[in-house]
Amino acid sequence: MIRPAQNTPTDLRLMSLALRAATRGRPSPNPHVGAVVARGETILAAGHHPRAGQAHAEIVALKKAGDSARGATLYVTFEPCNHQGRTGPCTEAIIAAGIARVVIGTRDPAPHVAGAAEKLAAAGIEVEIGVEEDKARALIADFAQHIMTGLPFVRMKAAMTLDGYIATRTNDSKWITGPLARKHAHRMRDQSDAVIVGVGTVLADDPSLTVRDVRGRDPIRVVLDTHLRTPVDAKLVAHGSRAPTWILHSEAASHAKAKALARKGVELIPVALDRGGQRIDLEAAMRVLGRRDVVRVLAEGGGTLHGSLLDAHLIRRASIFIAPILLGDQNAVRMVAGHGVTRISDAWRLTNQTLRRLGPDLLVEGDVVAAAKAE
């Protein structure tokens, strides 16, 4: 039998533990998934999906629980898989373990894997779907975006002053925010598959785009550089990181410059231009990344890249660090410099907002939606 969530206190508590466990993995391009095996209030085991190709969260938890899983309840944030991929179907393992009840946070949005909950129910297991569903969906929003559209989930990250600037008129930006905010920003890099900037940021700041201040692994460095203006001695070219650097460029860019960058270990990826024929088509660029299983992209570019991504409806979430300082200069560098809108009613909105204090700075986060969808 399949029934909707009853949301008992016990179910809510144990699903919350499963959601917390899910965040520990680095499973991209797979979704974050957590699982808990329990008998009543007693937790028997917990697990998460650590990496693509390794055991899924349900399997990890069931193996830990062993024979005690028979007759118990399995809490899982994401509908168990029902197909043969890099690993076997979790539905079969759940049935074989003798689980009596499965509580699921959210359904799998992938169209090719339907029927998992139904298979469990047909085996006599009680199935309940929708406990902490909003949180479970938020957890796999990046995976859902990628699996349904082929596009990565793009998060815009910026550090700005109270009056909306990310640098002075001389491009000085070190440091707008304090150490705690910068540490948190590096944690975002660690959690991303790739970090993307425009060539303007490379020329102005010469960033390395590596993870520092926290333990973690470097993301893929992606540069949008139509005409291959990236210097061969730029930090993200001449680096000691294990993570690659990809430069997305026009096919008409200099072959000599391409060879020089390639000799430094950079991967050059040609991408179609937009209708104006002057810049890389951003959606085409994102589709290139999506085909390479890049699911989570952190956009750290300047105002031009942020504005262009907004104009192209490609940003899904924003993380804006706000420092309690004012530049008071109309010629300073704006956080967003796109075509924008002409009416407040058409402005982009942040929904599901959170506000966090990091030392003297504030971090505002939320899902980015068009005005029509926010209403």
Side-chain angles (χ1 to χ4, degrees), residues 340-357:
V341 299
T342 57
R343 299 184 304 175
I344 293 295
S345 59
D346 293 331
W348 295 93
R349 311 280 173 167
L350 260 62
T351 62
N352 302 317
Q353 310 99 327
T354 61
L355 178 64
R356 179 176 180 180
R357 182 178 292 278

Side-chain angles (χ1 to χ4, degrees), residues 76-228:
V76 60
T77 60
F78 186 74
E79 185 176 12
C81 70
N82 191 35
H83 65 288
Q84 180 69 46
R86 297 186 189 181
T87 60
C90 289
T91 49
E92 294 181 6
I94 293 167
I95 294 168
I99 288 290
R101 178 173 176 252
V102 176
V103 179
I104 299 170
T106 186
R107 286 271 198 177
D108 189 332
H112 64 283
V113 295
E118 288 73 14
K119 181 175 181 177
L120 295 173
I125 297 174
E126 181 183 345
V127 179
E128 191 169 315
I129 302 174
V131 175
E132 294 284 25
E133 187 167 18
D134 288 346
K135 293 179 181 178
R137 284 182 177 175
L139 186 68
I140 57 101
D142 45 14
F143 169 80
Q145 161 89 356
H146 184 247
I147 202 70
M148 298 300 289
T149 69
L151 297 170
F153 185 98
V154 180
R155 177 197 294 258
M156 177 177 68
K157 191 276 288 184
M160 72 174 191
T161 64
L162 276 175
D163 45 353
Y165 297 112
I166 59 174
T168 68
R169 68 171 70 190
T170 62
N171 281 313
D172 179 30
S173 61
K174 295 181 175 58
W175 295 105
I176 289 176
T177 53
L180 287 178
R182 297 199 299 274
K183 184 175 182 179
H184 193 81
H186 280 276
R187 192 170 290 114
M188 289 181 183
R189 287 183 182 174
D190 169 53
Q191 295 168 349
S192 303
D193 297 327
V195 56
I196 189 168
V197 297
V199 67
T201 294
V202 175
L203 296 174
D205 298 339
D206 193 19
S208 60
L209 302 181
T210 54
V211 172
R212 303 180 299 279
D213 299 331
V214 298
R215 293 183 62 184
R217 50 98 176 107
D218 295 337
I220 300 165
R221 276 71 53 83
V222 178
V223 181
L224 299 177
D225 184 1
T226 306
H227 305 294
L228 289 181

Side-chain angles (χ1 to χ4, degrees), residues 351-372:
T351 62
N352 302 317
Q353 310 99 327
T354 61
L355 178 64
R356 179 176 180 180
R357 182 178 292 278
L358 294 165
D361 308 310
L362 296 177
L363 171 59
V364 177
E365 296 185 290
D367 298 325
V368 178
V369 298

Side-chain angles (χ1 to χ4, degrees), residues 17 23 91 116 166 185 207-208 216 268 316 347:
L17 292 176
T23 63
T91 49
I166 59 174
S208 60
L268 284 298
R316 294 293 306 278

